[in-house]
């Protein structure tokens, strides 16, 4: 099942009244600005999703910058969005797809099976000249969708310490090499990790590249359709870029690998953890 859906296809689904839940996964460091942005303009029928509040837990050095959400928080969010079995979910954001991908992975991890991402996000929708609306969005009918944490594989830092197989770092090359670090306590990467920058799988507009290119990049790391998801771990700074990497994998039919959510933000916070740099 393809993960990324085009603006044309989504518009047609909305026009024909197909039953689906659209989430606008918006993030802004300024309190209240994400909600204001949603209210000023969004895709018709979309509901507001604030990933930093609804899809992650309390940050800290022991868990990283964007840890997994609590079960109660997920249940509350699911009910507020009206998520129900058999009803597809389409997610978009207003950037390069990082927050939409994190929402995609979190919903999949929590047991929602049919989740898609709008290819190119809101910018692609806007570039086509498609209609937008203002206001708070529709009122969702509350449902009792069962939340099933652990529906996708995860790894913690202890798992990573013991790991002897493939580690994939999805961050940009300069952060992987340790040339610069703006977000976490130390620069570098987990020893033995190999770098596959997630943005190399997307074009400059944020749209996913063709399947053959993506498959080729993963094949260089020994990842194919037959790879056991437990045989490789993906990570990034705090689970966002790696979520986008996993979404790209799923889009081309590759297995969704084990995900270390805490990533470099958690690893680098422990002074006892070794660091590799390429400077």
């Amino acid at each position: 099942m393809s993960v990324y859906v085009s603006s044309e296809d989504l518009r047609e689904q909305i026009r024909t009244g197909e039953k689906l839940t659209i989430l606008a996964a918006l993030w802004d460091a300024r309190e209240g600005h994400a909600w204001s942005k949603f209210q000023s303009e969004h895709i018709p029928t979309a509901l507001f999703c604030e990933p930093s509040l609804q899809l992650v837990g309390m940050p800290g050095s022991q868990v990283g910058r964007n840890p997994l959400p609590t079960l109660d928080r997920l249940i509350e969010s699911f009910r507020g969005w009206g998520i129900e079995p058999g009803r597809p979910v389409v997610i978009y954001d207003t950037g390069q797809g990082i927050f939409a991908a994190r929402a995609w992975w979190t919903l999949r991890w929590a047991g929602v099976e049919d989740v898609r991402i709008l290819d190119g996000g809101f910018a692609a929708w806007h570039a086509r000249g498609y209609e937008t609306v203002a206001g708070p969005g529709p009122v969702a009918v509350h449902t009792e969708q069962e939340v099933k944490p652990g529906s996708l594989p995860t790894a913690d830092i202890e798992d990573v310490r013991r790991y002897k197989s493939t580690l994939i770092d999805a961050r940009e090359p300069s952060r992987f090499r340790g040339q610069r670090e703006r977000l976490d306590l130390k620069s570098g990467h987990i020893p033995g990790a190999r770098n596959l920058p997630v943005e190399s799988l997307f074009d400059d507009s944020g749209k996913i590249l063709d399947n053959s290119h993506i498959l080729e990049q993963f094949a260089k790391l020994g990842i194919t359709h037959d790879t056991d998801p437990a045989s490789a771990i993906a990570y990034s700074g705090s689970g966002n870029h790696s979520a986008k990497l996993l979404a790209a994998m799923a889009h081309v039919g590759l297995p969704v690998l084990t995900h270390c959510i805490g990533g470099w933000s958690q690893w680098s916070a422990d002074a006892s953890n070794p660091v590799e740099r390429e400077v």
Side-chain angles (χ1 to χ4, degrees):
M1 180 183 69
S2 298
V3 170
Y4 285 85
V5 59
S6 69
S7 295
E8 294 87 345
D9 286 346
L10 178 59
R11 183 174 183 264
E12 182 63 15
Q13 290 171 354
I14 295 171
R15 188 189 69 81
T16 58
E18 183 172 326
K19 288 189 64 177
L20 69 156
T21 298
I22 302 175
L23 298 180
L26 308 184
W27 180 89
D28 195 301
R30 301 163 296 178
E31 185 176 356
H33 278 251
W35 173 238
S36 296
K37 185 184 297 183
F38 175 82
Q39 286 188 299
S40 66
E41 187 179 32
H42 58 265
I43 292 174
T45 77
L47 297 162
F48 178 62
C49 165
E50 190 162 9
S52 60
L53 295 178
Q54 295 178 284
L55 296 177
V56 301
M58 185 67 67
S61 60
Q62 298 300 310
V63 292
R65 284 187 277 109
N66 293 301
L68 289 167
T70 64
L71 180 60
D72 287 344
R73 181 169 296 181
L74 279 176
I75 291 172
E76 180 182 3
S77 297
F78 279 25
R79 289 177 177 173
W81 295 325
I83 291 178
E84 59 180 312
R87 185 184 181 105
V89 179
V90 179
I91 308 171
Y92 75 90
D93 63 26
T94 54
Q96 290 294 305
I98 294 296
F99 300 109
R102 177 58 184 260
W104 169 87
W105 185 88
T106 305
L107 265 62
R108 289 289 315 279
W109 172 81
V112 184
E113 296 182 357
D114 192 353
V115 189
R116 313 287 180 94
I117 299 171
L118 178 61
D119 196 17
F122 187 73
W125 180 274
H126 207 274
R128 299 290 297 182
Y130 293 155
E131 61 273 25
T132 61
V133 296
V139 176
V141 177
H142 287 223
T143 65
E144 297 299 324
Q145 162 79 37
E146 183 180 2
V147 178
K148 302 176 181 178
S151 295
L152 290 180
T154 58
D156 59 25
I157 290 300
E158 288 302 320
D159 295 325
V160 173
R161 288 194 183 104
R162 295 190 297 265
Y163 208 61
K164 303 299 182 183
S165 192
T166 306
L167 284 174
I168 302 175
D169 187 317
R171 296 174 299 160
E172 61 191 84
S174 61
R175 292 185 69 197
F176 176 81
R177 291 193 293 262
Q179 293 174 318
R180 71 183 185 90
E181 182 56 64
R182 299 175 289 103
L183 299 172
D184 296 313
L185 296 176
K186 290 183 286 189
S187 64
H189 59 265
I190 299 173
R194 301 177 68 181
N195 189 210
L196 178 50
V198 67
E199 298 309 336
S200 69
L201 308 179
F202 295 78
D203 67 19
D204 292 341
S205 70
K207 290 187 176 182
I208 195 163
L209 293 173
D210 62 88
N211 288 15
S212 60
H213 170 79
I214 296 171
L215 291 170
E216 180 182 356
Q217 300 311 303
F218 280 102
K220 293 176 182 178
L221 302 178
I223 305 296
T224 70
H225 291 96
D226 297 325
T227 297
D228 182 349
S231 67
I233 293 175
Y235 76 91
S236 56
S238 59
N240 292 342
H241 287 79
S242 42
K244 189 175 179 181
L245 185 85
L246 297 175
M249 296 185 74
H251 180 74
V252 298
L254 290 170
V256 179
L257 301 180
T258 301
H259 195 188
C260 179
I261 297 296
W264 182 248
S265 65
Q266 186 180 7
W267 183 271
S268 63
D270 187 337
S272 68
N273 285 330
V275 172
E276 279 188 354
R277 298 185 180 92
E278 299 174 11
V279 295

